[in-house]
Amino acid sequence: MGASARLLRAVIMGAPGSGKGTVSSRIIKHFELKHLSSGDLLRQNMLRGTEIGVLAKTFIDQGKLIPDDVMTRLALHELKNLTEHSWLLDGFPRTLPQAEALDRTYQIDTVINLNVPFEVIKQRLTARWIHPASGRVYNIEFNPPKTVGIDDLTGEPLIQREDDKPETVIKRLKAYEAQTEPVLEYYRKKGVLETFSGTETNKIWPSVYAFQQRFQKHTRRTPSLHEEKRTSPGREQELLVLTSRNPSA
């Protein structure tokens, strides 16, 4: 990224199992963005025993959601270390108050939303089985064990994590939808939401790549793209999934 390039402030959104982690890793590889994952940030702070990490852990241990103000403090504190870099936020903002708090500090240029049907996500997540002693992970669809329900190396039984059971997956997806729909609408009205729909990450990725290329090319020429988008609220471009010219990941 040249010295004249404007710093990019981006957010990626997508339900658990939507391929958000894979797409994020490809974006930061191809476009030199810093990746800030709220989940990773939480784990690091709890591991280090920071004040905010200890506070967050008290809510998690009680089975409660971490309050908006705690998550916002955590994210904004970390973003102070990235002021000289373009960045991609992953997992934050998750709620409307978080999005509004972020907006008061940073101007978000684009929000990449991965729209994958819940039925597809449910199949992905519920196909996962693990060998608890070793942590080996199997997927019934593309990496199945030689014998159903049995670890290849030890012959011991495989288990399905509570989070991967169908009823739990459905509950998580519904909770995600209820929590994030107001956030998507907030960014849609600001004219910065870009939605990419599909059922396979490798087919969605070329569209994300092409959009990001165009977007960063424009931000190099002028810093007013975000303002230009804001002049047409409610404009959300539904990009068609491309099946060719898939850049190597």
Side-chain angles (χ1 to χ4, degrees):
M1 191 177 297
S4 62
R6 185 170 68 92
L7 295 176
L8 179 67
R9 306 305 186 211
V11 173
I12 187 167
M13 300 186 69
S18 64
K20 183 161 59 74
T22 300
V23 172
S24 294
S25 66
R26 293 179 182 181
I27 289 175
I28 61 176
K29 174 184 174 182
H30 286 284
F31 299 102
E32 301 176 27
L33 276 70
K34 295 292 185 180
H35 180 224
L36 183 62
S37 162
S38 61
D40 290 346
L41 194 56
L42 264 176
R43 283 186 286 274
Q44 290 165 11
N45 274 264
M46 288 190 291
L47 196 62
R48 296 202 310 263
T50 65
E51 179 187 351
I52 203 161
V54 171
L55 181 60
K57 191 174 186 301
T58 60
F59 291 102
I60 292 174
D61 288 347
Q62 295 172 46
K64 297 179 180 178
L65 290 174
I66 299 172
D68 288 328
D69 63 319
V70 175
M71 285 305 304
T72 300
R73 277 175 55 200
L74 185 68
L76 293 184
H77 177 76
E78 188 65 22
L79 286 175
K80 287 179 183 176
N81 300 323
L82 301 177
T83 53
E84 300 301 315
H85 302 276
S86 292
W87 42 250
L88 177 70
L89 284 179
D90 176 357
F92 179 89
R94 184 66 63 84
T95 66
L96 186 56
Q98 290 176 15
E100 291 171 337
L102 177 65
D103 220 33
R104 287 192 289 270
T105 310
Y106 296 98
Q107 176 177 289
I108 299 303
D109 298 298
T110 188
V111 176
I112 295 167
N113 177 45
L114 303 182
N115 179 34
V116 178
F118 277 5
E119 190 57 37
V120 172
I121 293 176
K122 190 179 91 169
Q123 288 173 359
R124 285 181 188 173
L125 296 181
T126 57
R128 186 165 53 190
W129 290 75
I130 66 168
H131 177 241
S134 67
R136 274 187 292 278
V137 178
Y138 296 88
N139 188 291
I140 301 304
E141 294 183 3
F142 57 82
N143 179 36
K146 293 172 183 174
T147 304
V148 175
I150 300 297
D151 178 52
D152 288 350
L153 299 184
T154 65
E156 295 171 350
L158 302 175
I159 66 165
Q160 193 168 42
R161 294 188 322 174
E162 196 64 39
D163 278 358
D164 294 336
K165 292 182 178 177
E167 58 273 21
T168 309
V169 168
I170 291 169
K171 190 182 297 183
R172 285 170 65 200
L173 292 175
K174 286 182 177 178
Y176 172 85
E177 185 176 48
Q179 193 177 47
T180 58
E181 185 51 44
V183 181
L184 294 174
E185 184 59 25
Y186 175 77
Y187 286 125
R188 184 179 290 116
K189 287 180 177 177
K190 285 181 170 292
V192 297
L193 183 67
E194 299 289 343
T195 294
F196 300 87
S197 301
T199 58
E200 297 177 39
T201 301
N202 284 340
K203 291 183 178 179
I204 292 175
W205 166 243
S207 295
V208 177
Y209 180 88
F211 164 73
Q212 196 69 18
Q213 259 194 331
R214 291 196 305 273
F215 193 94
Q216 296 203 186
K217 181 180 177 183
H218 292 159
T219 56
R220 284 188 176 94
R221 289 203 302 269
T222 171
S224 62
L225 178 61
H226 181 73
E227 295 167 4
E228 179 183 307
K229 279 176 170 285
R230 289 167 68 103
T231 62
S232 53
R235 173 182 169 272
E236 176 186 356
Q237 181 182 2
E238 186 76 27
L239 298 179
L240 295 175
V241 172
L242 304 178
T243 56
S244 63
R245 297 179 62 191
N246 184 7
S248 59

